[in-house]
Amino acid sequence: MFANKISPALCVLSALAMSVSGPLSALADDAVEKPTGPVVEQKTLETKTTFIEPSTDATTSITSTTGATSDKAKTSHGRPRIGLALGGGGARGAAHIGVLKVLIAEGIPIDMIAGTSIGAIVGGLYASGVPMSVLEENFADARLMKNFMTVPLTFRIIVAPIMVLPRLVGHKAYDGLYKGVKFRNFCNKLAPEGKRTIESLDKPFAAISLSLLDGKEHMLTKGDLGTALQASSAVPGLRKPVEIDDNLFVDGGVLANVPVEYARKLGADFIIAVNIDEKVELAEKKEFLGAGSVARRMIKLELNGLDQPQCIGADIIIHPDTDGISLVSRKKSDGIKGIKAGEAAARAALPEIKRKLASLGVLSLNK
């Protein structure tokens, strides 16, 4: 299962390099730094949907502080708890901003968030109290993606042979083109002071990451926020794995790209899932004449095959139209396009969201 699902991430470099734009800039790598990372603990995953068939040793990771997450998850209103499951998808994560804008404007309560990769980044920063206007600005001007990839991917690939030279003299480093330390610091700087650890957030939050050592998904629910976001978004082959204590983490999207079940684990009674994959539509033969076109199609097909079953366990599924936005885009126009797509998809889902929440006594249909 691990080998089958990791292939989309490994295809990113070959399939999407041609779609990355922007001038070549000076090579600026991240400083080596071993962070004090989030605390994780393993416990058996209790699946609540019939479409998931975990192996007998499948586990999830959750904070070891007894009752800490569940206590935080309880609302003071005695109503069902609303959770968001924000999916991964690189630059397409701008759509999460649009979705959040609409939900907040319409008074839809958000009690907890589970996010994978860019979904963890958006969800974690929002849960830390970063204003939506600031988050929107960071996507609209591509600032966030430029900090995610400090140098354009095409340039990084070109200089990759040079970066291998230290290995010839005995220097050992984890595989990947970017370390992600600068991005971790960027996230922590963006978060308000006093809100830079997961346990300090106002809402229960989990960043989903995959351990290279045990091959299982983990919920990072305690510790440094920036490190958790760095680990959850460490795309294999693109970003180096993140060392936390005795573990080694990469992008959680390899196995749990839309973390519906993990939102349930946080304590959500009602889950709104946001899937930012490109939609699979009928293609024409001429579309596969260009270099990288077949690999891009395979990524789209495999991501959809992985993510759609995960979404079935949600009460509401919002699927913005992110077609044409590259996973690694640093274009401002793609950031703006993604935000607008998220807004449109959320508005289309509002009637059903309000109807279901009204039936649970959370909202009034007149609202």
Side-chain angles (χ1 to χ4, degrees):
M1 179 178 179
F2 181 87
N4 290 339
K5 297 309 181 186
I6 198 169
S7 55
L10 295 179
C11 288
V12 168
L13 301 183
S14 62
L16 299 177
M18 283 75 72
S19 66
V20 181
S21 63
L24 296 182
S25 58
L27 177 61
D29 208 349
D30 304 319
V32 176
E33 184 178 344
K34 185 176 178 180
T36 301
V39 175
V40 294
E41 167 209 4
Q42 294 182 349
K43 70 188 275 187
T44 303
L45 174 63
E46 298 172 0
T47 345
K48 295 190 178 183
T49 47
T50 57
F51 58 85
I52 296 178
E53 298 177 359
S55 58
T56 55
D57 63 344
T59 62
T60 182
S61 168
I62 200 164
T63 177
S64 58
T65 306
T66 304
T69 301
S70 59
D71 287 346
K72 239 182 163 182
K74 294 176 183 176
T75 67
S76 58
H77 309 292
R79 58 164 174 77
R81 296 158 295 188
I82 315 303
L84 290 185
L86 302 181
R92 298 168 193 159
H96 288 316
I97 302 299
V99 170
L100 279 169
K101 284 179 63 180
V102 171
L103 295 181
I104 293 168
E106 293 293 329
I108 307 300
I110 301 170
D111 299 311
M112 60 204 65
I113 303 172
T116 298
S117 197
I118 193 67
I121 293 165
V122 172
L125 291 176
Y126 167 69
S128 77
V130 177
M132 285 306 303
S133 59
V134 174
L135 287 175
E136 181 174 9
E137 182 181 300
N138 272 272
F139 275 93
D141 65 8
R143 194 183 317 162
L144 188 140
M145 285 304 296
K146 287 177 180 177
N147 276 276
F148 182 80
M149 295 189 305
T150 52
V151 177
L153 180 55
T154 45
F155 184 59
R156 185 70 79 170
I157 291 174
I158 290 170
V159 301
I162 299 174
M163 297 168 66
V164 172
L165 291 178
R167 294 180 180 273
L168 301 179
V169 293
H171 176 71
K172 300 296 183 183
Y174 294 125
D175 183 36
L177 297 178
Y178 300 83
K179 293 187 180 73
V181 174
K182 285 187 176 181
F183 183 69
R184 182 187 79 215
N185 294 338
F186 168 79
C187 290
N188 276 337
K189 185 176 180 180
L190 203 57
E193 287 189 26
K195 298 293 181 180
R196 292 170 183 168
T197 60
I198 298 176
E199 57 268 41
S200 70
L201 303 182
D202 296 330
K203 304 174 187 295
F205 169 73
I208 310 306
S209 192
L210 173 74
S211 166
L212 285 177
L213 304 187
D214 63 25
K216 298 167 185 175
E217 308 102 301
H218 291 250
M219 292 172 67
L220 305 182
T221 57
K222 190 176 182 181
D224 183 71
L225 177 63
T227 302
L229 305 187
Q230 178 191 6
S232 182
S233 61
V235 180
L238 182 64
R239 289 261 295 275
K240 295 179 183 296
V242 178
E243 189 173 352
I244 299 175
D245 298 327
D246 294 325
N247 222 323
L248 202 59
F249 290 103
V250 295
D251 195 309
V254 173
L255 290 180
N257 201 40
V258 186
V260 171
E261 281 303 308
Y262 296 97
R264 193 81 66 189
K265 272 292 179 186
L266 274 181
D269 303 302
F270 185 95
I271 297 175
I272 300 172
V274 185
N275 178 2
I276 56 174
D277 291 343
E278 289 184 298
K279 297 178 181 178
V280 174
E281 297 176 347
L282 186 64
E284 298 182 6
K285 288 186 289 184
K286 64 182 181 181
E287 295 179 37
F288 303 105
L289 298 175
S293 57
V294 172
R296 281 193 293 271
R297 178 69 169 177
M298 294 309 299
I299 291 173
K300 181 187 293 189
L301 293 173
E302 195 158 355
L303 282 174
N304 272 269
L306 171 65
D307 296 347
Q308 285 188 7
Q310 295 177 18
C311 289
I312 294 174
D315 298 278
I316 294 288
I317 302 168
I318 300 177
H319 196 169
D321 182 3
T322 59
D323 288 2
I325 301 178
S326 164
L327 290 168
V328 293
S329 175
R330 288 157 46 104
K331 296 179 182 177
K332 294 180 181 179
S333 58
D334 281 341
I336 295 170
K337 177 181 178 180
I339 293 169
K340 290 181 177 179
E343 290 177 342
R347 292 200 181 282
L350 271 177
E352 184 68 3
I353 294 174
K354 290 184 174 182
R355 185 189 69 78
K356 287 190 173 183
L357 290 181
S359 71
L360 295 172
V362 177
L363 290 179
S364 167
L365 282 177
N366 296 324
K367 192 169 182 177

